[in-house]
Structure formats: C-alpha cells, structure tokens
Amino acid sequence: MSNNFHLTAPPMGWNSWNTFYDQVSEDLIRSTADAIVDKGLAKAGYEYVIMDDCWSQKTRDENGRLVPDPVKFPNGMKAVADYVHSRGLKLGIYSCCGLHTCAGYPGSFEHEFEDAKQFAEWGIDYLKYDNCYHPATLSSEMLYRRMNLALRSSGRDIVLAACQWGRDEVHQWIRSTGAQTFRSTIDIQDAWKSIEQIALSQLEKQQYGGAGCYNDMDILVVGMHGKGLNPETSIGGCNDTEYQTHFALWAMMNSPLIIGCDVRNMDDATRAILTNPDLIAINQDPECRSCHKLSTYGSPDAFILVKQLSGGDMAVGFFNFGDNNAHVELHFWDMGLPLASGYGLDFHNCLTGEELGVQRESFAQKVEPHGCRVYRCRLTEV
Ligand code: GLA
C-alpha cells in the first residue's frame, strides 16, 4: 500500500503534448530523457518525463487492459520506465477520468483500480489525469477521488496530476481529493496573450495552491518559437523576453515547471531561461508561500509580486504586461517595511546574477514591454 505520498515542491519535468502532439514514442522519450540529463536540465531539478495523450492503442485488450501502441512503443512500457529510471529520472503517463481521453483513446472510467495497478507494474511515477468524456451524472470531483484511491492502493508512489482546466471551482475542492497538482486553466498556447491571460486568471487564486497540492498553470511554452506538431498550441511563438517573463511568473506563482519544447534541440537562450538557478530556487522554496500583488504608481499595466521565502529572504518580481516601457517603483512600506524599521533590502538580480547592493525605502526600474525583473532581497540593517 502506498499511501504516504507528499510532494515537497512543485514537480519539475517535461511533457510531450505541446510540441509532439500525438507523436509520442519510446524513441522520443528515450532521447528526451538523454537530453534532460546531458544538457543539465536534470541537474537544475527537472525530473519527470511525461508522456501525454495518444500513447495507447485505440481499444483495450480482451482482459480490459490498456495496451501501448506497438509501433510507438515496440518494447512495451516497462522498458521505457526502466530506461528513464536508469537515467535517474521518473516517468509520467496520461489518462482521463472519462470513457475516452481528449484525443479519443481509452479513458480510465470504471477501470481506475486496474489501470492504477497496471501503471504501478510498469513503473510509472506520475499520472496526468484529464477531464474529457465523463458521464454528466458523475462529477469530476468524484472521479478524481476514485483515481486518488486507486493510485494510493497501487503499491507505488504515483503523483496524481489532475487536469481539470479550472472548471467547477476546482481550486476549492481539489486539495481534499488527494491530488498533488491541479490544472487551473484551459490549454496554453505559444503566444504572449495566452501567457498573460493564464497568469492574470490565477493571481487571485494563488492561496489555493501551495504545499502538497500545486496550482498547475499548464505546460511551459518557453523555447517553442512557434514550432511543433500541435496545431492548437504552436500558433505564433513569443520572443525570449516574453519566454523569460512566462518562466518567472510560473516560478513565482508556485506552478509546476513542466517544459514543453523539444529539449533535444533547444537554443542557448531557452536553456538559460529554463535552468536559471535563482528562479528555480524561488519556485522550489520549501515554505511555498503564495505571492502578494502590489500596484505600481502610474503604470497600470505593470505590477509587482512579492513572495516570502524560507530563511527570511523575499522574492520580488516586476512585471510589465503593457506594450510600452513601464516605470516600476516599489515602495518598501507596501511590503510591510517602513523606513522607521531601520531595515533596507539587499537586492540580488536573479536574471543577471548582479548584486545591486542595499536599497532604502524604495527601488525603481524601467521594464520593457512584456518584460520582467526578479530580485531576491535580504533584510539588512541600514
Ligand atoms: C487536454 C489537456 C491537454 C492535453 C490534451 C490531450 O486538452 O488539457 O493538456 O493533455 O487534452 O488530448
């Protein structure tokens, strides 16, 4: 019985859906696992290699079991799990709480306990569990409870990543189902508007995520640059400034960090964004506090996020969602730090690694359109 599974930080990994769509295969998973290790992503914290939809045959076998597509997975699923584990990584798979997955493959409805056992036998470590094609008479809340119990009785620690798209006020009940993460929005697209819309929709809901059950703002589009087989995701592409802002938002807002680009062929800028150690440390901070948002005087499209970190530091993010440069000004009293306290803040720039020294009372920066600045600040006597 595996019933003691607690994720101590938002999961980090890679998922096949954004770039490879229905073309998930053993070759892809092996070569991606190799790239995750060889290009330093594993060292940066990325751990789960997740197969999304379209990995199975279109029907179950005569015993009601799910069967990996023999062309895509000629050696079965255990061989894939063994390989991924041999590289020091974990393997994720995908199913759905309905009769079919969103792409029309068999779902786990009324097969929850046998599928969970099957996943455990294969050596699966993470299940992304979707929300398509379930009977209207049964709530997805009930169906996520079922899969939670199925996984916890499967004999293996398997993360339950609920993919419920933010429907039915999922943030209010998901924590009680036992799931470790919950998708809170519709599918992301490789476009600035999509990033902006997802981030804004979750700013007021951050307190529902956090330790033990993380708010999954969807797979990262960092580094896709409009490429990929998924016609719904790969629609335009962003520039590196926008990808940097996207990553900083997901990091500060405690989202799982699940890469969606082809890491085998990523460019240096993408690699640098995805492996930024200061942003990853903010995301993986053990206390996992939600941010609070501050407005900045005179720049309506810009805002500041402040996150208390363990050990006493604070993460401070300046974000400009506008199409013009913004003057972003942080007054320390808005964070609870009046001048009379005798303290200032020592600023470390998380994007450049620069030390900016101790600032008193306030700190201001110009931020380019769709850009950001992120600082790690230490309380310092002045
Ligand atoms: C839904 C999910 C996506 C992806 C697809 C697969 O749309 O939200 O993330 O898993 O299904 O069909």
Side-chain angles (χ1 to χ4, degrees):
M1 179 73 84
S2 156
N3 55 11
N4 197 21
F5 194 39
H6 175 57
L7 272 193
T8 54
M12 295 174 63
W14 172 91
N15 175 299
S16 57
W17 186 249
N18 275 2
T19 297
F20 297 97
Y21 201 44
D22 60 349
Q23 294 305 307
V24 59
S25 68
E26 172 171 349
D27 270 357
L28 174 68
I29 297 302
R30 280 177 175 255
S31 54
T32 297
D34 290 343
I36 289 173
V37 175
D38 299 343
K39 299 189 179 209
L41 294 168
K43 200 153 171 258
Y46 296 93
E47 192 179 15
Y48 294 94
V49 188
I50 303 160
M51 294 172 278
D52 209 285
D53 206 348
C54 311
W55 60 266
S56 76
Q57 286 197 316
K58 282 268 167 106
T59 50
R60 291 175 178 267
D61 72 7
E62 62 280 10
N63 300 312
R65 279 194 292 252
L66 292 168
V67 186
D69 181 316
V71 176
K72 294 173 176 170
F73 294 94
N75 300 302
M77 221 32 109
K78 176 114 185 20
V80 181
D82 288 347
Y83 186 74
V84 167
H85 293 153
S86 78
R87 304 267 20 207
L89 302 171
K90 294 181 170 166
L91 185 63
I93 207 164
Y94 166 98
S95 188
C96 185
C97 70
L99 284 158
H100 312 288
T101 71
C102 299
Y105 292 77
S108 291
F109 180 66
E110 301 287 27
H111 291 274
E112 291 87 353
F113 284 74
E114 59 202 272
D115 286 356
K117 284 218 164 53
Q118 176 73 83
F119 297 149
E121 274 166 32
W122 284 338
I124 300 294
D125 305 290
Y126 174 113
L127 173 66
K128 174 172 172 178
Y129 203 46
D130 219 330
N131 191 38
C132 282
Y133 300 110
H134 68 76
T137 46
L138 271 174
S139 67
S140 54
E141 179 178 349
M142 172 55 70
L143 297 177
Y144 285 111
R145 286 190 200 289
R146 272 196 200 177
M147 187 47 95
N148 168 65
L149 293 177
L151 292 175
R152 290 188 192 237
S153 60
S154 72
R156 192 174 169 86
D157 286 341
I158 302 178
V159 172
L160 174 55
C163 180
Q164 212 267 357
W165 321 315
R167 296 258 177 94
D168 309 323
E169 306 297 320
V170 60
H171 53 282
Q172 292 181 1
W173 48 262
I174 193 67
R175 190 170 278 276
S176 75
T177 67
Q180 282 90 1
T181 70
F182 64 100
R183 268 279 301 282
S184 52
T185 67
I186 55 164
D187 291 8
I188 196 167
Q189 295 181 310
D190 186 14
W192 170 251
K193 276 285 157 225
S194 172
I195 293 167
E196 181 182 65
Q197 185 257 321
I198 289 179
L200 290 175
S201 76
Q202 296 311 301
L203 276 176
E204 307 304 326
K205 296 208 179 110
Q206 285 183 76
Q207 67 275 23
Y208 296 99
C213 187
Y214 303 93
N215 180 342
D216 178 354
M217 291 162 55
D218 206 2
I219 308 162
L220 297 161
V221 294
V222 175
M224 287 185 68
H225 290 294
K227 287 188 236 135
L229 303 172
N230 187 335
E232 285 137 40
T233 311
S234 315
I235 59 162
C238 302
N239 60 40
D240 287 331
T241 298
E242 293 166 334
Y243 287 139
Q244 175 66 86
T245 301
H246 167 34
F247 190 74
L249 285 162
W250 267 232
M252 286 205 68
M253 292 171 72
N254 301 322
S255 174
L257 299 176
I258 309 293
I259 300 169
C261 70
D262 181 356
V263 291
R264 304 167 308 177
N265 298 308
M266 66 185 163
D267 58 27
D268 290 346
T270 299
R271 190 180 170 284
I273 292 170
L274 293 172
T275 57
N276 181 305
D278 289 321
L279 292 185
I280 290 175
I282 290 169
N283 178 259
Q284 300 282 298
D285 187 76
E287 287 190 31
C288 203
R289 302 268 171 197
S290 50
C291 296
H292 67 105
K293 177 175 171 260
L294 301 173
S295 308
T296 178
Y297 310 92
S299 293
D301 295 325
F303 61 91
I304 300 169
L305 293 180
V306 180
K307 177 177 170 181
Q308 176 67 58
L309 302 173
S310 57
D313 289 359
M314 271 169 292
V316 173
F318 289 4
F319 296 95
N320 179 10
F321 281 11
D323 296 329
N324 299 303
N325 285 330
H327 174 79
V328 183
E329 197 167 323
L330 170 67
H331 292 273
F332 297 173
W333 62 70
D334 286 335
M335 305 164 61
L337 193 66
L339 187 60
S341 66
Y343 284 88
L345 292 172
D346 196 0
F347 272 64
H348 168 80
N349 185 329
C350 297
L351 304 188
T352 63
E354 272 172 290
E355 300 303 336
L356 303 178
V358 179
Q359 316 289 320
R360 294 161 61 109
E361 202 171 3
S362 68
F363 181 72
Q365 284 286 299
K366 186 184 83 177
V367 181
E368 66 279 16
H370 307 174
C372 73
R373 302 285 181 275
V374 184
Y375 306 99
R376 190 172 180 116
C377 299
R378 174 151 300 170
L379 275 176
T380 310
E381 274 183 82
V382 287

